[in-house]
Amino acid sequence: MATSHSYFKLHMENLSDLKKLLSIPKDIVITSHRNPDGDAIGSSLALYHFLNKDGHTVKVIFPSEYPDFVAWMPDAEKIIIYDVDVEGATNALQKADIIFALDYNSLDRIDKVGDIIAPLSCTKVMIDHHLYPENFADYIMSDPSSSSTCEMIYDFINQLDQTSKLDKTIGECLMTGILTDTGSFSYSTSPKLFNTVSELLKLGVEDYKLQDLLFNSLPEKNLRLLGHSLNNRMEILEEYKTGIIYLTRDDYDKYEIQRGDTEGIVNYLLKMKNVKFAAFITEQPNIVKLSLRSKGDFSVQEIAQKYFKGGGHKNASGGASFTSLRSTIKKIKEILPEYKEQLLKS
Ligand code: 5GP
Ligand code: MN
């Protein structure tokens, strides 16, 4: 496996070529990953508003719907969802001069949209902060040390010498991804991030207002679901410093769980002092989905990649299993002895 360092591309290579391309109005499509989160939609809409200002024709395409807690974002309603509008998404992609890939680094993260993009000969630009990028873009900016793709969009605009084009709307979009990907500055922070955030606040971004919109807007059923998850679906494996929460198909029906409703549940496991590794396992219609989290040096990226065809970051990764919920939970438990030593020392 390659080390992350061999992939670090903090500065866009051949930036001047891209700058030249962007100096004339273009048809641009911005794409992000399936089940888009705050960083996916925040970075996409920030870049959308920025490029729009420059006279480009810009469309944002997601493979699947975004969750309700980001529906307030300016122009969110204009986003084309491939699952809902296959023809509109396909036409826009085929017409594009430039396609941006934000907050993902392998085409399998965008489902069928990836099959459309792969053979296209237009210019492709990847801006992303996950480990181990695939080499599918002409321009790659990959910074796994960055808190979020939103932080990187700020860097990208800065590298284009265009920070004067930033405004409150773009700032709110960027702040959204920064807040969601850092858990409101609980992790992935750095001096550079706080400098960036300082610049966003100077644009008039109201951070408390955003915090309320993003984190204090849950419907009652989500709190009931959280209670159910913690009370009835949680297992703590003390000898491995591991916590598991799972949700069954019946739970999905009973609590009318939709995309985004389970966001954040996995993090509750890490609130226990002695839990270093948290697994949230959910029974989806065709697959079993895993959300993995860790504290400290323990890498869930390795487990996601090695055992669940997934990836992500050291402390937050995801993947899938193609067997039953029960055997996926069993598999996680069988993996633990291999990591026992690491878990106990971390
Ligand atoms: P979450 O658990 O919130 O769905 O995702 C946590 C992190 O892991 C995110 O950065 C996400 O991009 C990444 N991730 C989640 N699911 C997958 C997956 O199936 N494949 C890969 N490569 N990364 C994933
Ligand atoms: Mn992200």
Side-chain angles (χ1 to χ4, degrees), residues 186-220:
S186 303
Y187 34 81
S188 310
T189 60
S190 66
K192 177 173 146 294
L193 174 69
F194 285 114
N195 279 332
T196 301
V197 168
S198 166
E199 295 305 316
L200 299 184
L201 295 187
K202 286 182 206 161
L203 296 169
V205 170
E206 295 164 87
D207 51 336
Y208 296 118
K209 187 189 90 180
L210 292 188
Q211 299 258 17
D212 265 345
L213 285 167
L214 293 166
F215 305 121
N216 300 332
S217 304
L218 289 180
E220 179 183 340

Side-chain angles (χ1 to χ4, degrees), residues 33 37 39-40 103 129-130 147-149 181 313:
H33 57 82
D37 55 7
D39 194 29
D103 202 39
H129 68 132
H130 294 88
S147 68
S148 52
T149 302
D181 263 27
H313 314 276

Side-chain angles (χ1 to χ4, degrees), residues 1-4 6-7 131-132 299 301-306 310:
M1 196 194 295
T3 66
S4 60
S6 60
Y7 284 112
L131 292 163
Y132 313 126
S299 171
Q301 199 278 339
E302 184 186 316
I303 295 178
Q305 190 176 48
K306 192 165 161 191

Side-chain angles (χ1 to χ4, degrees), residues 22-38:
L22 290 171
S23 66
I24 305 162
K26 291 278 185 309
D27 274 320
I28 297 178
V29 170
I30 297 166
T31 61
S32 195
H33 57 82
R34 71 170 170 252
N35 300 342
D37 55 7

Side-chain angles (χ1 to χ4, degrees), residues 270-287:
L270 294 181
K271 289 192 181 288
M272 281 182 65
K273 190 169 196 285
N274 271 331
V275 170
K276 304 289 180 196
F277 171 37
F280 180 61
I281 309 173
T282 55
E283 194 174 23
Q284 309 284 324
N286 299 312
I287 57 163

Side-chain angles (χ1 to χ4, degrees), residues 45-222:
L45 287 179
L47 187 63
Y48 163 91
H49 288 292
F50 170 76
L51 292 170
N52 246 342
K53 270 186 151 179
D54 249 359
H56 300 288
T57 304
V58 196
K59 295 199 161 85
V60 177
I61 297 178
F62 293 160
S64 63
E65 297 268 19
Y66 51 81
D68 284 345
F69 73 91
V70 290
W72 56 270
M73 295 186 68
D75 284 356
E77 72 285 353
K78 293 190 186 154
I79 294 173
I80 302 172
I81 309 296
Y82 177 87
D83 279 353
V84 177
D85 183 7
V86 175
E87 202 184 320
T90 308
N91 287 341
L93 286 164
Q94 282 168 346
K95 244 183 74 187
D97 302 310
I98 304 174
I99 296 178
F100 278 87
L102 304 188
D103 202 39
Y104 70 95
N105 64 13
S106 65
L107 289 177
D108 65 358
R109 297 279 291 134
I110 53 170
D111 300 338
K112 291 185 191 128
V113 178
D115 300 337
I116 301 172
I117 289 180
L120 294 179
S121 58
C122 67
T123 302
K124 296 165 194 165
V125 186
M126 181 206 295
I127 302 178
D128 177 65
H129 68 132
H130 294 88
L131 292 163
Y132 313 126
E134 242 179 35
N135 206 5
F136 67 83
D138 305 285
Y139 297 88
I140 294 180
M141 191 174 169
S142 165
D143 181 6
S145 75
S146 194
S147 68
S148 52
T149 302
C150 280
E151 185 184 352
M152 294 181 70
I153 293 293
Y154 183 90
D155 298 340
F156 175 62
I157 292 171
N158 196 17
Q159 286 175 32
L160 291 172
D161 298 319
Q162 304 265 11
T163 45
S164 59
K165 294 234 172 73
L166 292 168
D167 58 26
K168 187 178 169 186
T169 299
I170 298 172
E172 284 186 343
C173 295
L174 294 177
M175 190 71 164
T176 292
I178 290 171
L179 285 170
T180 55
D181 263 27
T182 64
S184 300
F185 306 113
S186 303
Y187 34 81
S188 310
T189 60
S190 66
K192 177 173 146 294
L193 174 69
F194 285 114
N195 279 332
T196 301
V197 168
S198 166
E199 295 305 316
L200 299 184
L201 295 187
K202 286 182 206 161
L203 296 169
V205 170
E206 295 164 87
D207 51 336
Y208 296 118
K209 187 189 90 180
L210 292 188
Q211 299 258 17
D212 265 345
L213 285 167
L214 293 166
F215 305 121
N216 300 332
S217 304
L218 289 180
E220 179 183 340
K221 71 164 188 173
N222 288 45

